[in-house]
Amino acid sequence: MKQLASLILGLVVSGWCSAAGLADFKDTLLPESPRAAAGDKRLSVMFIGVSTLLFDDGDTAFMTDGYFSRPGNVSTAKIEPDPARITRSLQRAGVKSLAAVVALHSHFDHALDSPVVAQQTGALLVGSPSTANIGLGYGFPQARIRVPGNGETLAFGRFKLTFVVSSHFPATFALGDITAPLTVPARASDFKVGEVYSLLVEHEGRTLLVQGSAGFSPGALNGRKAEVVYLGIGGLASRDEAYLDAYWREIVLTVGARRVVPVHWDNFYRSLDEALMPSPGFDRAMAGLLFRSKADKVDLRLQAEWQWTDPFSGLPR
């Protein structure tokens, strides 16, 4: 824990987080692990910023969000996917095909690229009706779109994905639903949030939860279990201690998590050609998580971008 506190301090002082900087604190990071090979029943996860996570067991792979274009100033300009950046990013991650691309909600930093990633990898596009309308607006075939109901489970190889409707972090940006096919270029605010999912992942008896936004619906995860939580912390520093307590309780403690891996902590306007940079408030959010993880004996880890890891490393069954 002292090493993690040193990591936080180092990030605050430096104001950025390079791959080399993370390597200086390798004892606090999830260790890099070889990518799962076909048939070995092991799970590998790669983090690529925001809540883009690549899951692969050597036979089947899927991705959440797949946000690679990262347009710069979205406040004034219209935006659209950058197919060349998406292709480069998929090549860098070693992705040739995906079974599914799951958009956790439909804001641009989650769903802008999802249909293009699905198109380039032969995947199903999975998400809310708003995400479906983004895909349809891009000309993505309706036959390859799935809109799961609350609590529905979809199977992809040995993965079982369960979709639980949740809530977005409290904010006023791009609220509501996308009710018609959305064509691009479009304003960032046209990518309305739609339904928000907590994604439960089961694989060979091991369980994970992906919470892409730092919001929650009270009681939504009651009765659900997850050993590892990929916990969205974007905006979390702007909330008071009561909100942090409730968020930690509803997402982490409710599912009985033994490990938390923060995601959605980086500046999502910064190109992936550069190292990830923490967004303002990262230090405060991490300090709040550190305090709660220590009190509840939950292992708090960071994950370096573009590296394969075993999310259960060091956790006994």
Side-chain angles (χ1 to χ4, degrees):
M1 289 300 182
K2 290 181 179 178
Q3 289 171 322
L4 183 53
S6 297
L7 170 59
I8 295 169
L9 179 61
L11 292 173
V12 175
V13 172
S14 67
W16 61 286
C17 180
S18 69
L22 286 175
D24 290 339
F25 300 92
K26 59 182 180 297
D27 291 340
T28 70
L29 297 172
L30 279 175
E32 189 171 4
S33 176
R35 185 177 189 171
D40 66 9
K41 297 186 179 181
R42 188 169 56 84
L43 172 60
S44 296
V45 180
M46 179 184 287
F47 169 60
I48 319 179
V50 194
S51 50
T52 295
L53 294 162
L54 172 58
F55 295 79
D56 193 346
D57 69 358
D59 295 306
T60 306
F62 77 92
M63 181 177 286
T64 55
D65 295 344
Y67 178 58
F68 303 120
S69 293
R70 293 183 171 238
N73 185 1
V74 303
S75 61
T76 57
K78 291 189 175 183
I79 60 175
E80 60 186 325
D82 185 328
R85 283 191 178 185
I86 294 169
T87 298
R88 288 200 307 272
S89 297
L90 292 173
Q91 289 173 343
R92 183 176 179 183
V95 174
K96 294 181 179 179
S97 65
L98 295 170
V101 176
V102 177
L104 299 171
H105 62 269
S106 297
H107 278 161
F108 75 93
D109 56 321
H110 296 259
L112 173 69
D113 293 344
S114 293
V116 180
V117 174
Q119 187 67 46
Q120 290 194 11
T121 61
L124 291 179
L125 176 64
V126 184
S128 70
S130 293
T131 294
N133 272 320
I134 296 173
L136 292 173
Y138 290 12
F140 192 81
Q142 188 162 19
R144 286 172 50 199
I145 298 174
R146 297 288 185 275
V147 178
N150 188 19
E152 184 174 353
T153 299
L154 301 178
F156 299 96
R158 293 191 294 272
F159 290 101
K160 293 180 181 178
L161 309 185
T162 300
F163 296 78
V164 177
V165 173
S166 184
S167 296
H168 192 270
F169 175 78
T172 59
F173 177 76
L175 302 180
D177 300 311
I178 302 170
T179 58
L182 178 65
T183 57
V184 288
R187 298 191 183 280
S189 57
D190 293 330
F191 289 84
K192 298 183 185 299
V193 63
E195 281 189 327
V196 178
Y197 294 111
S198 298
L199 180 67
L200 290 151
V201 181
E202 181 181 351
H203 183 272
E204 295 290 335
R206 307 305 297 261
T207 52
L208 309 99
L209 170 66
V210 183
Q211 189 74 14
S213 175
F216 62 92
S217 293
L221 291 170
N222 286 352
R224 306 287 186 177
K225 297 296 179 185
E227 299 168 70
V228 177
V229 175
Y230 289 91
L231 188 72
I233 66 170
L236 200 57
S238 67
R239 309 302 294 185
D240 60 18
E241 291 297 310
Y243 185 89
L244 267 67
D245 282 339
Y247 183 53
W248 181 264
R249 181 181 65 251
E250 291 285 341
I251 305 300
V252 177
L253 300 185
T254 292
V255 301
R258 294 185 289 156
R259 171 171 291 158
V260 165
V261 182
V263 296
H264 210 326
W265 51 261
D266 57 300
N267 178 347
F268 51 76
Y269 303 117
R270 184 179 173 90
S271 169
L272 285 171
D273 293 332
E274 304 174 88
L276 296 188
M277 176 185 289
S279 295
F282 172 80
D283 55 323
R284 183 174 184 272
M286 285 294 292
L289 296 182
L290 178 61
F291 174 80
R292 288 161 178 81
S293 66
K294 185 175 182 179
D296 293 317
K297 296 181 172 57
V298 175
D299 185 41
L300 182 64
R301 297 278 183 163
L302 289 173
Q303 181 168 345
E305 68 267 30
W306 299 109
Q307 290 186 4
W308 288 108
T309 64
D310 175 355
F312 305 110
S313 176
L315 294 180
R317 284 184 177 269

